[in-house]
Amino acid sequence: MLNLKGAGEIAVKGGWLSLTPAAFQCAVLDRAKLRRIKARETLHYEGDDSIGMYGLVGGSLKVMASAGEHGPYLVHMLWPGTWIGEGPTITGRPRLVTPIATECCDLLFLSRAAIHEIVRIEPRFWSLFLIPQQNLFELAVLAVADTMLPSHLKRLIATLLRLGGARSGPAKDAPGRIDLAFSQEEIAVMTNVTRPTAGRALRRLAANGLIEVGYGRLTLTNIVGLQALLEE
């Protein structure tokens, strides 16, 4: 099982904490608690009171969200290095999403009280807590823009790359393969196409050696090829 020291080492290698000064990293990791949840366990629910933010250091999380009276829908997937919940934690407003573990997950938990203690000691650190919120906003804008692509094939490719953490810039840690625990029905909803249309597009990508399609799962096998096809 991952210990707190190991979790901290993972947290500073990528994502939010990697973009912050060493003194801030130490302040966060000195106050963070390690938590483990099982596969298919819910981290928290949309609408829950927010008592702290979480940093994923092992495993992956599906993110469910609602749009007004519609949903909840599966909207994204989180990978190690990602932090969530900073907005509701700082503002005191309810949680916006429901993260569900796709496998056993290790997370760092930083409470609201710990955040207040950090900024009480060093007020200039307040701005660093806004970085995850900015990252999330940029991701949301990108996701909305992708839904406006006229080609359903490109919308699907963009969605797969975003889910795999490889939508913009280099592929996530330059992996050879990225496994996604999503069904064809879920991909169709996120891409805003019918299931038969999504199925045909996925079979086309699979025939070209870009993905593999399994029961309730997809594997991205050629990230560079997918990115090139999206950019055509």
Side-chain angles (χ1 to χ4, degrees), residues 17 24 72 85 97 111 116 137 141 144 154 166 196 216 220:
L17 284 185
F24 179 78
V97 299
S111 69
H116 288 169
F137 179 74
V141 170
V144 170
K154 288 192 174 184
L220 311 187

Side-chain angles (χ1 to χ4, degrees), residues 18 22 38 47 52 78 98 116 122-123 140-141 203 208:
S18 69
K38 299 177 181 178
L78 302 181
T98 301
H116 288 169
E122 184 48 81
V141 170
R203 287 194 294 273
N208 290 327

Side-chain angles (χ1 to χ4, degrees):
M1 179 175 176
L2 189 67
N3 58 29
L4 189 56
K5 180 180 178 181
E9 292 173 350
I10 293 172
V12 299
K13 286 182 179 179
W16 170 47
L17 284 185
S18 69
L19 304 174
T20 63
F24 179 78
Q25 295 174 1
C26 290
V28 169
L29 296 178
D30 285 347
R31 294 164 176 81
K33 307 296 183 182
L34 186 61
R35 178 178 175 185
R36 168 167 283 195
I37 60 175
K38 299 177 181 178
R40 295 180 294 280
E41 184 177 348
T42 299
L43 181 61
H44 55 69
Y45 290 91
E46 178 182 351
D48 283 353
D49 291 336
S50 179
I51 59 174
M53 59 190 293
Y54 291 91
L56 185 62
V57 292
S60 57
L61 292 164
K62 284 185 175 181
V63 180
M64 309 294 295
S66 300
E69 66 277 12
H70 302 290
Y73 301 113
L74 180 58
V75 296
H76 195 49
M77 192 165 187
L78 302 181
W79 299 97
T82 305
W83 288 73
I84 60 170
E86 68 291 333
T89 298
I90 292 173
T91 63
R93 302 183 68 179
R95 302 279 192 189
L96 295 174
V97 299
T98 301
I100 303 172
T102 62
E103 56 192 307
C104 184
C105 292
D106 291 306
L107 303 107
L108 291 172
F109 173 72
L110 189 68
S111 69
R112 179 183 292 122
I115 293 173
H116 288 169
E117 181 181 357
I118 290 171
V119 298
R120 183 170 62 250
I121 296 172
E122 184 48 81
R124 66 188 176 92
F125 283 163
W126 253 126
S127 63
L128 299 178
F129 284 103
L130 299 179
I131 294 176
Q133 194 72 8
Q134 178 67 18
N135 291 342
L136 178 61
F137 179 74
E138 291 173 356
L139 178 66
V141 170
L142 181 62
V144 170
D146 283 343
T147 64
M148 299 180 185
L149 292 170
S151 165
H152 70 267
L153 179 62
K154 288 192 174 184
R155 289 202 306 274
L156 187 142
I157 292 171
T159 299
L160 293 179
L161 289 172
R162 175 172 59 81
L163 295 174
R167 173 60 184 88
S168 58
K172 182 176 63 68
D173 297 329
R177 301 164 63 91
I178 299 178
D179 293 317
L180 301 176
F182 294 98
S183 68
Q184 293 188 36
E185 179 66 27
E186 290 169 328
I187 294 296
V189 171
M190 285 186 282
T191 312
N192 196 23
V193 298
T194 65
R195 181 172 180 174
T197 298
R200 287 191 296 270
L202 291 170
R203 287 194 294 273
R204 174 179 170 182
L205 296 177
N208 290 327
L210 300 173
I211 68 172
E212 292 176 359
V213 181
Y215 181 74
R217 301 190 70 87
L218 297 168
T219 300
L220 311 187
T221 57
N222 187 339
I223 310 302
V224 174
L226 288 168
Q227 291 172 332
L229 190 57
L230 179 61
E231 294 169 2
E232 286 183 356

